[in-house]
Amino acid sequence: MSAAASTAKDGEEVFSARFSPDGTRVATGGEDGRVRVWDARRGPLLRTLAHDSGTTTALDFSPDGGQLLARNSDAPLPAAVVAVDGGLQSRPPGH
């Protein structure tokens, strides 16, 4: 991705994007703090995952594709763990 934000199909600016290990999904994160998971082959939005407020600046799938690490511009490391088929599983200590 370039330094400038791109725009997703739903109109949100995208600051981070990552393909799942099997290439079937793509996760995007934007300035609303939500993580969106898309069908990488057909394009529709599969789900929106609650993450946190602030811009989602980094995403990474677990090796099995079942979880995402989501880094927020307002939060220190480590990142929150988000279940791809659910929601927030854990937060960094102190949040």
Side-chain angles (χ1 to χ4, degrees), residues 14-83:
V14 174
F15 289 85
S16 181
R18 181 73 65 184
F19 279 93
S20 63
D22 65 3
T24 61
R25 296 169 292 178
V26 62
T28 60
E31 64 185 347
D32 67 354
R34 294 189 178 151
V35 175
R36 290 168 175 80
V37 181
W38 306 83
D39 182 314
R41 294 184 180 139
R42 293 183 210 84
L45 178 65
L46 299 174
R47 71 178 56 247
T48 300
L49 306 170
H51 170 42
D52 219 335
S53 62
T55 302
T56 302
T57 56
L59 294 167
D60 201 9
F61 276 94
S62 62
D64 69 359
Q67 297 177 322
L68 280 162
L69 290 178
R71 169 90 163 84
N72 183 294
S73 62
D74 295 341
L77 290 174
V81 177
V82 181

Side-chain angles (χ1 to χ4, degrees), residues 81-93:
V81 177
V82 181
V84 173
D85 292 326
L88 184 67
Q89 289 187 319
S90 65
R91 291 185 187 276

